[in-house]
Coordinates of all heavy atoms in Angstrom, one line a residue:
M29 N 10.5 -20.8 20.4 CA 10.1 -20.2 19.1 C 9.8 -18.7 19.3 O 9.1 -18.3 20.3 CB 8.8 -20.9 18.6 CG 8.5 -20.6 17.2 SD 7.0 -21.5 16.7 CE 5.9 -20.2 16.4
A30 N 10.3 -17.9 18.5 CA 10.1 -16.5 18.6 C 8.8 -16.1 17.9 O 8.5 -16.6 16.9 CB 11.3 -15.7 17.9
T31 N 8.1 -15.3 18.6 CA 6.8 -14.8 18.1 C 7.0 -13.3 17.6 O 7.6 -12.5 18.3 CB 5.7 -14.8 19.2 OG1 6.3 -15.1 20.4 CG2 4.6 -15.8 18.8
L32 N 6.4 -13.1 16.5 CA 6.5 -11.7 15.9 C 5.1 -11.1 16.0 O 4.2 -11.6 15.4 CB 7.0 -11.8 14.5 CG 7.1 -10.5 13.7 CD1 8.2 -9.6 14.4 CD2 7.4 -10.7 12.3
E33 N 5.0 -10.0 16.7 CA 3.7 -9.3 16.8 C 3.6 -8.4 15.6 O 4.3 -7.5 15.5 CB 3.6 -8.5 18.1 CG 3.6 -9.4 19.4 CD 2.2 -9.4 20.0 OE1 1.7 -8.3 20.2 OE2 1.8 -10.5 20.3
V34 N 2.6 -8.7 14.8 CA 2.4 -7.9 13.6 C 1.2 -7.1 13.7 O 0.1 -7.6 13.9 CB 2.3 -8.8 12.3 CG1 2.1 -7.9 11.1 CG2 3.6 -9.6 12.2
P35 N 1.3 -5.7 13.7 CA 0.1 -4.9 13.8 C -0.6 -4.9 12.4 O 0.1 -4.9 11.4 CB 0.6 -3.5 14.2 CG 2.0 -3.5 13.7 CD 2.5 -4.9 13.8
C36 N -1.9 -4.9 12.5 CA -2.7 -4.8 11.2 C -2.5 -3.4 10.6 O -2.4 -2.4 11.2 CB -4.2 -5.0 11.5 SG -5.2 -4.7 10.1
R37 N -2.3 -3.5 9.2 CA -2.0 -2.2 8.5 C -3.2 -1.3 8.5 O -3.1 -0.1 8.3 CB -1.7 -2.7 7.1 CG -1.4 -1.5 6.1 CD -1.0 -2.1 4.8 NE -1.2 -1.1 3.7 CZ -0.9 -1.3 2.5 NH1 -0.4 -2.5 2.1 NH2 -1.1 -0.4 1.6
Y38 N -4.4 -1.9 8.6 CA -5.7 -1.1 8.5 C -6.3 -0.7 9.8 O -6.7 0.4 10.0 CB -6.7 -1.9 7.7 CG -6.1 -2.3 6.3 CD1 -5.6 -3.5 6.1 CD2 -6.1 -1.3 5.3 CE1 -5.1 -3.9 4.8 CE2 -5.6 -1.6 4.0 CZ -5.1 -2.9 3.8 OH -4.5 -3.2 2.6
C39 N -6.3 -1.7 10.8 CA -7.0 -1.4 12.1 C -6.0 -1.4 13.2 O -6.4 -1.2 14.4 CB -8.1 -2.3 12.3 SG -7.7 -4.0 12.6
S40 N -4.7 -1.7 13.0 CA -3.5 -1.7 13.9 C -3.8 -2.5 15.2 O -3.2 -2.2 16.2 CB -3.2 -0.2 14.3 OG -4.2 0.4 15.0
Q41 N -4.5 -3.6 15.0 CA -4.7 -4.6 16.1 C -3.6 -5.6 15.9 O -3.3 -6.1 14.8 CB -6.0 -5.2 16.0 CG -7.1 -4.4 16.6 CD -8.2 -5.2 17.2 OE1 -8.2 -6.5 17.3 NE2 -9.3 -4.6 17.7
T42 N -3.0 -6.1 17.0 CA -1.9 -7.1 16.9 C -2.5 -8.5 17.2 O -2.0 -9.5 16.7 CB -0.8 -6.8 17.9 OG1 -1.4 -6.6 19.2 CG2 0.0 -5.6 17.4
K43 N -3.5 -8.6 18.0 CA -4.0 -10.0 18.4 C -4.8 -10.7 17.3 O -4.9 -11.9 17.4 CB -4.9 -9.8 19.6 CG -4.2 -9.4 20.9 CD -5.0 -9.6 22.1 CE -4.4 -9.1 23.4 NZ -3.1 -9.8 23.7
S44 N -5.3 -10.0 16.3 CA -6.1 -10.7 15.3 C -5.4 -11.0 14.0 O -6.0 -11.4 13.1 CB -7.3 -9.8 15.1 OG -6.9 -8.5 14.7
V45 N -4.1 -10.8 14.0 CA -3.3 -11.0 12.8 C -2.8 -12.4 12.7 O -2.2 -12.9 13.7 CB -2.2 -10.0 12.6 CG1 -1.4 -10.3 11.4 CG2 -2.8 -8.6 12.5
R46 N -3.1 -13.2 11.6 CA -2.6 -14.5 11.4 C -1.8 -14.6 10.1 O -2.0 -13.7 9.2 CB -3.8 -15.5 11.3 CG -4.6 -15.6 12.5 CD -3.9 -16.4 13.6 NE -4.7 -16.4 14.8 CZ -4.7 -15.5 15.8 NH1 -4.0 -14.5 15.7 NH2 -5.5 -15.7 16.9
K47 N -1.0 -15.6 10.0 CA -0.3 -15.8 8.7 C -1.3 -16.2 7.6 O -2.3 -16.8 7.9 CB 0.8 -16.8 8.8 CG 2.0 -16.3 9.6 CD 3.1 -17.4 9.6 CE 4.4 -16.8 10.2 NZ 5.5 -17.9 10.2
H48 N -1.0 -15.8 6.4 CA -2.0 -16.0 5.3 C -1.3 -16.3 4.0 O -1.5 -15.7 3.0 CB -2.8 -14.7 5.2 CG -4.1 -14.9 4.4 ND1 -4.4 -14.2 3.3 CD2 -5.1 -15.7 4.7 CE1 -5.6 -14.5 2.9 NE2 -6.1 -15.4 3.7
G49 N -0.4 -17.3 4.0 CA 0.3 -17.8 2.8 C 1.4 -16.8 2.4 O 1.8 -15.9 3.2
T50 N 1.9 -17.0 1.2 CA 3.0 -16.1 0.7 C 2.5 -15.5 -0.6 O 1.7 -16.1 -1.4 CB 4.2 -16.9 0.4 OG1 3.9 -18.0 -0.4 CG2 4.9 -17.4 1.7
G51 N 3.0 -14.3 -0.8 CA 2.7 -13.6 -2.1 C 3.7 -13.8 -3.1 O 4.5 -14.7 -3.0
A52 N 3.8 -12.9 -4.1 CA 4.8 -12.9 -5.1 C 6.2 -12.8 -4.4 O 6.3 -12.1 -3.4 CB 4.6 -11.8 -6.1
N53 N 7.2 -13.3 -4.9 CA 8.6 -13.3 -4.4 C 8.6 -13.9 -3.0 O 9.5 -13.6 -2.2 CB 9.2 -11.9 -4.3 CG 9.5 -11.4 -5.7 OD1 9.4 -12.1 -6.6 ND2 9.7 -10.1 -5.7
K54 N 7.7 -14.8 -2.7 CA 7.6 -15.6 -1.4 C 7.6 -14.7 -0.2 O 8.1 -15.1 0.9 CB 8.8 -16.5 -1.3 CG 9.0 -17.5 -2.5 CD 7.9 -18.6 -2.5 CE 8.0 -19.5 -3.6 NZ 7.1 -19.2 -4.7
A55 N 7.0 -13.5 -0.3 CA 6.9 -12.7 0.9 C 5.7 -13.2 1.7 O 4.7 -13.5 1.2 CB 6.7 -11.2 0.5
Q56 N 5.9 -13.1 3.1 CA 4.8 -13.6 3.9 C 3.7 -12.6 3.9 O 3.8 -11.4 4.1 CB 5.4 -13.7 5.4 CG 4.4 -14.2 6.4 CD 3.9 -15.6 6.2 OE1 4.8 -16.5 6.1 NE2 2.7 -15.9 6.1
R57 N 2.5 -13.2 3.7 CA 1.2 -12.4 3.8 C 0.6 -12.6 5.1 O 0.7 -13.7 5.7 CB 0.3 -12.7 2.6 CG 0.8 -12.3 1.3 CD -0.3 -12.4 0.2 NE -1.4 -11.6 0.4 CZ -1.4 -10.3 0.1 NH1 -0.4 -9.7 -0.4 NH2 -2.5 -9.5 0.4
Y58 N -0.1 -11.6 5.6 CA -0.8 -11.7 6.9 C -2.3 -11.4 6.6 O -2.6 -10.6 5.7 CB -0.3 -10.7 7.9 CG 1.2 -11.1 8.3 CD1 2.2 -10.5 7.6 CD2 1.5 -12.0 9.2 CE1 3.5 -10.8 7.9 CE2 2.7 -12.3 9.6 CZ 3.8 -11.7 8.9 OH 5.1 -12.0 9.2
C59 N -3.1 -12.0 7.4 CA -4.6 -11.7 7.4 C -5.1 -11.2 8.7 O -4.7 -11.8 9.8 CB -5.3 -13.0 7.0 SG -7.1 -12.8 6.9
C60 N -5.9 -10.2 8.7 CA -6.4 -9.7 10.0 C -7.8 -10.3 10.1 O -8.7 -10.1 9.2 CB -6.5 -8.2 9.9 SG -7.3 -7.5 11.4
L61 N -8.1 -11.0 11.2 CA -9.4 -11.6 11.5 C -10.4 -10.5 11.9 O -11.6 -10.8 11.9 CB -9.3 -12.7 12.5 CG -8.3 -13.8 12.2 CD1 -8.2 -14.8 13.3 CD2 -8.7 -14.5 10.9
N62 N -9.9 -9.4 12.3 CA -10.8 -8.3 12.8 C -11.5 -7.6 11.6 O -12.7 -7.5 11.5 CB -10.1 -7.3 13.7 CG -11.0 -6.3 14.3 OD1 -12.1 -6.6 14.7 ND2 -10.5 -5.1 14.3
C63 N -10.7 -7.1 10.7 CA -11.2 -6.4 9.5 C -11.2 -7.2 8.3 O -11.6 -6.6 7.2 CB -10.5 -5.0 9.4 SG -8.7 -5.2 9.0
R64 N -10.8 -8.4 8.3 CA -10.9 -9.4 7.2 C -10.0 -8.9 6.0 O -10.4 -9.2 4.8 CB -12.3 -9.7 6.7 CG -13.3 -10.1 7.8 CD -12.9 -11.3 8.5 NE -12.7 -12.5 7.7 CZ -12.3 -13.6 8.1 NH1 -12.0 -13.8 9.4 NH2 -12.2 -14.7 7.3
K65 N -9.0 -8.1 6.2 CA -8.1 -7.7 5.1 C -6.8 -8.4 5.2 O -6.4 -8.7 6.3 CB -7.9 -6.2 5.2 CG -9.2 -5.4 4.8 CD -9.0 -3.9 4.9 CE -10.2 -3.2 4.5 NZ -10.1 -1.8 4.7
S66 N -6.1 -8.6 4.1 CA -4.8 -9.2 4.1 C -3.7 -8.2 3.6 O -4.1 -7.3 2.8 CB -4.8 -10.5 3.2 OG -5.0 -10.2 1.9
F67 N -2.5 -8.4 4.0 CA -1.4 -7.4 3.6 C -0.1 -8.1 3.8 O 0.0 -9.2 4.4 CB -1.6 -6.2 4.5 CG -1.4 -6.5 6.0 CD1 -0.2 -6.4 6.6 CD2 -2.5 -6.9 6.7 CE1 -0.1 -6.6 8.0 CE2 -2.4 -7.2 8.1 CZ -1.2 -7.0 8.7
Q68 N 1.0 -7.5 3.3 CA 2.3 -7.9 3.5 C 3.1 -6.8 4.3 O 2.6 -5.6 4.3 CB 3.0 -8.1 2.2 CG 2.5 -9.3 1.4 CD 3.1 -9.4 0.0 OE1 2.5 -10.0 -0.8 NE2 4.3 -8.8 -0.2
L69 N 4.2 -7.2 4.9 CA 5.0 -6.2 5.6 C 6.0 -5.5 4.6 O 6.3 -4.4 4.8 CB 5.8 -6.8 6.7 CG 5.0 -7.3 7.9 CD1 5.9 -7.9 9.0 CD2 4.1 -6.2 8.5
D70 N 6.3 -6.3 3.6 CA 7.3 -5.7 2.6 C 6.8 -6.0 1.2 O 6.5 -7.2 0.9 CB 8.7 -6.4 2.9 CG 9.7 -5.7 2.1 OD1 9.6 -4.4 1.8 OD2 10.7 -6.3 1.7
Y71 N 6.8 -5.0 0.4 CA 6.3 -5.2 -1.0 C 7.5 -4.9 -1.9 O 8.4 -4.1 -1.7 CB 5.2 -4.2 -1.3 CG 3.9 -4.5 -0.6 CD1 3.6 -3.9 0.6 CD2 3.0 -5.4 -1.1 CE1 2.4 -4.2 1.3 CE2 1.8 -5.7 -0.4 CZ 1.5 -5.1 0.8 OH 0.4 -5.4 1.4
T72 N 7.5 -5.6 -3.1 CA 8.5 -5.3 -4.1 C 8.2 -4.0 -4.8 O 9.1 -3.2 -5.0 CB 8.5 -6.5 -5.1 OG1 8.5 -7.7 -4.5 CG2 9.7 -6.4 -6.0
Y73 N 6.9 -3.8 -5.1 CA 6.6 -2.6 -5.9 C 6.3 -1.4 -4.9 O 5.5 -1.6 -3.9 CB 5.3 -2.9 -6.7 CG 4.9 -1.8 -7.7 CD1 5.8 -1.0 -8.4 CD2 3.6 -1.5 -7.8 CE1 5.4 0.0 -9.2 CE2 3.2 -0.5 -8.7 CZ 4.1 0.2 -9.3 OH 3.7 1.2 -10.2
N74 N 6.8 -0.2 -5.3 CA 6.8 0.9 -4.4 C 5.3 1.4 -4.1 O 5.0 1.8 -3.0 CB 7.5 2.1 -4.9 CG 8.9 2.2 -4.4 OD1 9.3 1.4 -3.5 ND2 9.7 3.1 -4.9
A75 N 4.5 1.3 -5.1 CA 3.1 1.9 -5.0 C 2.3 1.1 -3.9 O 1.3 1.6 -3.5 CB 2.4 1.9 -6.3
Y76 N 2.7 -0.1 -3.6 CA 1.9 -0.9 -2.6 C 2.2 -0.5 -1.2 O 1.5 -0.9 -0.3 CB 2.1 -2.4 -2.8 CG 1.6 -2.9 -4.1 CD1 2.2 -4.0 -4.7 CD2 0.6 -2.3 -4.8 CE1 1.8 -4.5 -5.9 CE2 0.2 -2.8 -6.0 CZ 0.8 -3.9 -6.6 OH 0.3 -4.4 -7.8
H77 N 3.3 0.2 -0.9 CA 3.6 0.6 0.4 C 2.6 1.6 1.0 O 2.1 2.4 0.2 CB 5.0 1.2 0.5 CG 6.1 0.2 0.3 ND1 6.8 0.1 -0.9 CD2 6.7 -0.6 1.2 CE1 7.7 -0.9 -0.8 NE2 7.7 -1.3 0.5
P78 N 2.3 1.5 2.3 CA 1.4 2.4 2.9 C 1.8 3.9 2.8 O 3.0 4.1 3.0 CB 1.3 2.0 4.3 CG 2.1 0.8 4.5 CD 2.9 0.5 3.2
G79 N 0.9 4.7 2.4 CA 1.2 6.2 2.3 C 1.6 6.7 1.0 O 1.7 7.9 0.7
V80 N 1.9 5.8 0.0 CA 2.4 6.2 -1.3 C 1.3 6.8 -2.1 O 1.4 7.8 -2.8 CB 3.1 5.1 -2.0 CG1 3.4 5.5 -3.5 CG2 4.4 4.7 -1.3
K81 N 0.1 6.3 -2.0 CA -1.1 6.8 -2.7 C -1.4 8.2 -2.2 O -1.7 9.1 -3.1 CB -2.3 5.9 -2.5 CG -2.1 4.5 -3.0 CD -2.3 4.4 -4.5 CE -1.8 3.1 -5.1 NZ -2.7 1.9 -4.8
E82 N -1.3 8.5 -0.9 CA -1.5 9.8 -0.4 C -0.5 10.8 -0.9 O -0.7 11.9 -1.2 CB -1.5 9.8 1.1 CG -2.7 9.1 1.7 CD -2.6 7.6 1.8 OE1 -1.5 7.1 1.4 OE2 -3.5 6.9 2.2
Q83 N 0.8 10.2 -1.0 CA 1.9 11.1 -1.5 C 1.7 11.5 -3.0 O 2.0 12.6 -3.4 CB 3.2 10.2 -1.4 CG 4.3 11.0 -0.8 CD 5.5 10.1 -0.6 OE1 5.4 8.9 -0.5 NE2 6.7 10.7 -0.6
I84 N 1.1 10.6 -3.8 CA 0.8 10.9 -5.2 C -0.1 12.0 -5.3 O 0.1 13.0 -6.0 CB 0.3 9.6 -5.9 CG1 1.4 8.5 -6.0 CG2 -0.3 10.0 -7.2 CD1 0.9 7.2 -6.6
V85 N -1.2 11.9 -4.5 CA -2.3 13.0 -4.5 C -1.7 14.3 -4.0 O -1.9 15.4 -4.7 CB -3.5 12.6 -3.7 CG1 -4.5 13.7 -3.6 CG2 -4.1 11.3 -4.2
D86 N -0.8 14.3 -3.0 CA -0.2 15.5 -2.5 C 0.7 16.1 -3.5 O 0.6 17.4 -3.7 CB 0.6 15.2 -1.2 CG -0.3 15.1 0.0 OD1 -1.5 15.5 -0.1 OD2 0.2 14.7 1.1
M87 N 1.5 15.3 -4.1 CA 2.5 15.9 -5.1 C 1.8 16.5 -6.3 O 2.1 17.6 -6.7 CB 3.4 14.8 -5.6 CG 4.6 14.5 -4.7 SD 5.8 13.4 -5.4 CE 6.5 14.5 -6.6
V88 N 0.7 15.9 -6.8 CA 0.0 16.4 -8.0 C -0.8 17.7 -7.6 O -0.8 18.6 -8.3 CB -0.9 15.3 -8.6 CG1 -1.7 15.9 -9.7 CG2 0.0 14.2 -9.1
M89 N -1.3 17.7 -6.3 CA -2.0 18.9 -5.9 C -1.1 20.0 -5.7 O -1.5 21.2 -5.7 CB -2.8 18.6 -4.6 CG -4.0 17.7 -4.8 SD -5.2 18.4 -5.8 CE -5.9 17.0 -6.6
N90 N 0.2 19.8 -5.4 CA 1.2 20.8 -5.3 C 1.9 21.1 -6.6 O 3.1 21.5 -6.6 CB 2.2 20.5 -4.2 CG 1.5 20.7 -2.8 OD1 1.1 21.8 -2.4 ND2 1.4 19.6 -2.1
N91 N 1.2 20.9 -7.7 CA 1.7 21.3 -9.0 C 2.9 20.5 -9.5 O 3.6 21.0 -10.4 CB 2.0 22.8 -9.0 CG 1.5 23.5 -10.3 OD1 0.9 22.9 -11.1 ND2 1.9 24.7 -10.5
A92 N 3.1 19.3 -9.0 CA 4.1 18.5 -9.7 C 3.4 17.8 -10.9 O 2.2 17.5 -10.8 CB 4.6 17.4 -8.7
G93 N 4.1 17.6 -11.9 CA 3.5 17.0 -13.1 C 3.2 15.5 -12.9 O 3.8 14.9 -11.9
L94 N 2.4 14.9 -13.7 CA 2.0 13.5 -13.5 C 3.3 12.6 -13.7 O 3.5 11.7 -13.0 CB 0.9 13.1 -14.5 CG -0.4 13.8 -14.3 CD1 -1.4 13.3 -15.3 CD2 -1.0 13.6 -12.9
R95 N 4.0 12.9 -14.8 CA 5.2 12.1 -15.1 C 6.3 12.4 -14.1 O 7.1 11.5 -13.7 CB 5.7 12.4 -16.5 CG 4.8 11.8 -17.5 CD 5.2 12.0 -18.9 NE 4.1 11.8 -19.9 CZ 3.7 10.6 -20.3 NH1 4.4 9.5 -19.9 NH2 2.7 10.4 -21.1
D96 N 6.4 13.6 -13.6 CA 7.4 13.9 -12.5 C 7.1 13.1 -11.3 O 8.0 12.5 -10.7 CB 7.3 15.4 -12.1 CG 7.7 16.3 -13.2 OD1 8.4 15.9 -14.1 OD2 7.3 17.5 -13.1
T97 N 5.8 13.0 -10.9 CA 5.4 12.2 -9.7 C 5.7 10.8 -9.9 O 6.3 10.2 -9.0 CB 3.9 12.4 -9.5 OG1 3.6 13.8 -9.5 CG2 3.4 11.8 -8.2
A98 N 5.4 10.2 -11.1 CA 5.7 8.8 -11.3 C 7.2 8.6 -11.2 O 7.7 7.6 -10.6 CB 5.2 8.4 -12.7
R99 N 8.0 9.5 -11.7 CA 9.5 9.3 -11.7 C 10.1 9.4 -10.3 O 10.9 8.6 -9.9 CB 10.1 10.4 -12.6 CG 11.3 9.9 -13.4 CD 11.9 11.0 -14.3 NE 10.9 11.5 -15.2 CZ 10.5 12.8 -15.3 NH1 11.1 13.7 -14.5 NH2 9.7 13.2 -16.2
V100 N 9.6 10.4 -9.6 CA 10.2 10.6 -8.2 C 9.8 9.5 -7.3 O 10.6 8.9 -6.5 CB 9.7 12.0 -7.7 CG1 10.0 12.1 -6.2 CG2 10.4 13.1 -8.4
L101 N 8.5 9.0 -7.3 CA 8.1 8.0 -6.4 C 8.4 6.6 -6.9 O 8.1 5.6 -6.2 CB 6.6 8.2 -6.1 CG 6.2 9.5 -5.5 CD1 4.6 9.5 -5.3 CD2 6.8 9.6 -4.1
K102 N 8.9 6.5 -8.1 CA 9.2 5.2 -8.7 C 8.0 4.3 -8.8 O 8.0 3.1 -8.4 CB 10.4 4.5 -7.9 CG 11.7 5.2 -7.9 CD 12.8 4.4 -7.4 CE 14.1 5.1 -7.5 NZ 14.3 6.2 -6.5
V103 N 6.9 4.9 -9.3 CA 5.7 4.1 -9.6 C 5.4 4.3 -11.0 O 5.9 5.2 -11.7 CB 4.5 4.5 -8.7 CG1 4.8 4.2 -7.2 CG2 4.1 5.9 -8.9
G104 N 4.5 3.5 -11.6 CA 4.1 3.6 -13.0 C 3.3 4.9 -13.2 O 2.5 5.3 -12.3
F105 N 3.3 5.4 -14.5 CA 2.5 6.5 -14.8 C 1.0 6.2 -14.7 O 0.2 7.0 -14.3 CB 2.9 6.9 -16.3 CG 2.1 8.1 -16.8 CD1 2.2 9.3 -16.2 CD2 1.2 7.9 -17.8 CE1 1.5 10.4 -16.7 CE2 0.4 9.0 -18.3 CZ 0.6 10.2 -17.7
N106 N 0.6 5.0 -15.1 CA -0.8 4.6 -15.1 C -1.2 4.5 -13.6 O -2.4 4.7 -13.3 CB -1.0 3.3 -15.8 CG -1.0 3.6 -17.3 OD1 -1.4 4.6 -17.8 ND2 -0.4 2.6 -18.0
T107 N -0.3 4.2 -12.7 CA -0.7 4.1 -11.3 C -1.0 5.5 -10.8 O -2.0 5.7 -10.0 CB 0.5 3.6 -10.5 OG1 0.9 2.3 -11.0 CG2 0.2 3.4 -9.0
V108 N -0.3 6.5 -11.2 CA -0.6 7.9 -10.9 C -2.0 8.3 -11.4 O -2.8 8.8 -10.6 CB 0.5 8.9 -11.4 CG1 0.2 10.3 -11.1 CG2 1.9 8.5 -10.8
L109 N -2.2 8.0 -12.6 CA -3.5 8.3 -13.2 C -4.7 7.6 -12.5 O -5.7 8.3 -12.1 CB -3.6 7.9 -14.7 CG -2.8 8.8 -15.7 CD1 -3.0 8.2 -17.1 CD2 -3.3 10.2 -15.6
R110 N -4.5 6.3 -12.2 CA -5.5 5.6 -11.5 C -5.8 6.1 -10.1 O -6.9 6.2 -9.7 CB -5.2 4.1 -11.5 CG -6.3 3.2 -11.0 CD -5.9 1.7 -10.9 NE -4.7 1.4 -11.6 CZ -3.5 1.1 -11.0 NH1 -3.5 1.2 -9.7 NH2 -2.4 0.8 -11.6
T111 N -4.7 6.4 -9.4 CA -4.8 6.9 -8.0 C -5.6 8.2 -8.0 O -6.5 8.5 -7.2 CB -3.5 7.1 -7.4 OG1 -2.7 5.9 -7.5 CG2 -3.6 7.5 -6.0
L112 N -5.3 9.1 -9.0 CA -6.0 10.4 -9.0 C -7.5 10.2 -9.4 O -8.4 10.9 -8.9 CB -5.3 11.3 -10.0 CG -4.0 11.8 -9.6 CD1 -3.4 12.7 -10.7 CD2 -4.1 12.6 -8.3
K113 N -7.7 9.3 -10.3 CA -9.1 9.0 -10.8 C -9.9 8.5 -9.6 O -11.1 8.9 -9.4 CB -9.1 8.0 -11.9 CG -10.4 7.8 -12.5 CD -10.3 6.7 -13.6 CE -11.6 6.1 -13.9 NZ -11.5 4.9 -14.6
N114 N -9.3 7.6 -8.8 CA -10.1 7.0 -7.7 C -10.1 7.9 -6.4 O -10.8 7.6 -5.5 CB -9.4 5.7 -7.4 CG -9.6 4.7 -8.5 OD1 -10.6 4.8 -9.3 ND2 -8.8 3.7 -8.6
S115 N -9.3 8.9 -6.4 CA -9.3 9.8 -5.2 C -10.4 10.9 -5.4 O -10.6 11.3 -6.6 CB -8.0 10.4 -4.9 OG -7.7 11.4 -5.9
N116 N -11.0 11.4 -4.4 CA -12.0 12.4 -4.5 C -11.5 13.7 -4.9 O -12.1 14.6 -5.5 CB -12.8 12.5 -3.2 CG -13.7 11.2 -3.0 OD1 -14.1 10.6 -3.9 ND2 -13.8 10.9 -1.7
R117 N -10.1 13.9 -4.5 CA -9.6 15.3 -4.8 C -9.1 15.4 -6.2 O -8.7 16.5 -6.6 CB -8.4 15.5 -3.8 CG -8.9 15.6 -2.4 CD -7.7 15.4 -1.4 NE -6.8 16.5 -1.5 CZ -5.6 16.5 -0.9 NH1 -5.3 15.5 -0.2 NH2 -4.8 17.5 -1.0
G118 N -9.1 14.3 -7.0 CA -8.5 14.4 -8.3 C -9.6 14.9 -9.3 O -9.3 14.9 -10.5
K119 N -10.8 15.1 -8.9 CA -11.9 15.5 -9.9 C -11.7 16.9 -10.5 O -11.2 17.8 -9.8 CB -13.2 15.4 -9.2 CG -13.7 14.0 -9.0 CD -15.1 14.0 -8.3 CE -15.4 12.6 -8.0 NZ -16.6 12.5 -7.2
Ligands
ZN203 ZN1 -7.3 -5.3 10.7

Protein backbone atom coordinates (compact mmCIF):
# COMPACT_ATOMS: atom_id res chain seq x y z
CA MET A 1 0.00 0.00 0.00
CA ALA A 2 1.34 3.37 -0.98
CA THR A 3 1.45 5.98 1.74
CA LEU A 4 1.03 9.63 0.90
CA GLU A 5 2.72 12.06 3.24
CA VAL A 6 0.49 15.12 3.39
CA PRO A 7 1.92 18.23 5.05
CA CYS A 8 -0.51 20.30 7.08
CA ARG A 9 -1.56 23.48 5.29
CA TYR A 10 -1.34 25.52 8.50
CA CYS A 11 1.49 24.07 10.61
CA SER A 12 3.26 21.99 7.85
CA GLN A 13 3.61 18.88 10.01
CA THR A 14 3.32 15.57 8.17
CA LYS A 15 3.05 13.11 11.07
CA SER A 16 -0.17 14.50 12.53
CA VAL A 17 -2.32 14.54 9.37
CA ARG A 18 -5.15 11.99 9.09
CA LYS A 19 -7.87 11.45 6.52
CA HIS A 20 -11.08 13.29 7.41
CA GLY A 21 -13.85 12.22 5.05
CA THR A 22 -14.64 13.78 1.71
CA GLY A 23 -15.78 17.26 0.81
CA ALA A 24 -17.88 18.49 -2.09
CA ASN A 25 -17.07 16.73 -5.40
CA LYS A 26 -15.74 13.79 -3.34
CA ALA A 27 -12.37 15.43 -2.74
CA GLN A 28 -10.41 13.90 0.12
CA ARG A 29 -10.32 16.07 3.24
CA TYR A 30 -7.52 15.87 5.79
CA CYS A 31 -7.46 16.73 9.47
CA CYS A 32 -4.38 17.84 11.38
CA LEU A 33 -4.28 16.44 14.91
CA ASN A 34 -1.69 19.02 15.92
CA CYS A 35 -3.58 22.24 15.13
CA ARG A 36 -7.08 20.66 14.87
CA LYS A 37 -7.76 22.20 11.45
CA SER A 38 -9.05 20.40 8.37
CA PHE A 39 -8.25 21.09 4.72
CA GLN A 40 -8.20 19.64 1.22
CA LEU A 41 -5.32 19.37 -1.23
CA ASP A 42 -7.44 20.40 -4.19
CA TYR A 43 -10.38 22.77 -4.19
CA THR A 44 -12.93 23.40 -6.92
CA TYR A 45 -13.30 27.11 -6.09
CA ASN A 46 -10.24 29.30 -6.67
CA ALA A 47 -10.64 31.46 -3.56
CA TYR A 48 -10.09 28.46 -1.24
CA HIS A 49 -6.57 27.82 -2.55
CA PRO A 50 -3.78 28.91 -0.20
CA GLY A 51 -2.42 32.36 -1.01
CA VAL A 52 -5.41 33.69 -2.97
CA LYS A 53 -6.68 35.82 -0.06
CA GLU A 54 -3.26 37.48 0.22
CA GLN A 55 -3.25 38.02 -3.55
CA ILE A 56 -6.63 39.79 -3.35
CA VAL A 57 -5.32 42.22 -0.70
CA ASP A 58 -2.10 42.81 -2.69
CA MET A 59 -3.92 43.53 -5.94
CA VAL A 60 -6.38 45.96 -4.38
CA MET A 61 -3.59 47.72 -2.46
CA ASN A 62 -1.75 48.18 -5.79
CA ASN A 63 -4.69 50.09 -7.22
CA ALA A 64 -6.47 47.29 -9.08
CA GLY A 65 -10.22 47.72 -8.99
CA LEU A 66 -12.40 45.41 -6.93
CA ARG A 67 -14.14 44.01 -10.00
CA ASP A 68 -10.81 43.72 -11.87
CA THR A 69 -9.42 41.66 -8.98
CA ALA A 70 -12.45 39.39 -8.97
CA ARG A 71 -12.23 38.87 -12.73
CA VAL A 72 -8.48 38.18 -12.86
CA LEU A 73 -8.37 35.79 -9.88
CA LYS A 74 -11.65 34.10 -10.93
CA VAL A 75 -13.28 34.62 -7.54
CA GLY A 76 -16.62 36.22 -6.70
CA PHE A 77 -16.96 39.97 -6.21
CA ASN A 78 -18.39 39.45 -2.74
CA THR A 79 -15.36 37.30 -1.87
CA VAL A 80 -13.13 40.27 -2.68
CA LEU A 81 -15.26 42.56 -0.50
CA ARG A 82 -15.35 40.08 2.39
CA THR A 83 -11.60 39.44 2.24
CA LEU A 84 -10.86 43.18 2.39
CA LYS A 85 -13.33 43.71 5.21
CA ASN A 86 -11.76 40.91 7.26
CA SER A 87 -8.16 41.92 6.56
CA ASN A 88 -6.59 44.59 8.72
CA ARG A 89 -5.14 46.41 5.70
CA GLY A 90 -8.54 46.98 4.11
CA LYS A 91 -9.64 49.56 6.69
ZN1 LIG B 1 -1.63 21.42 11.44
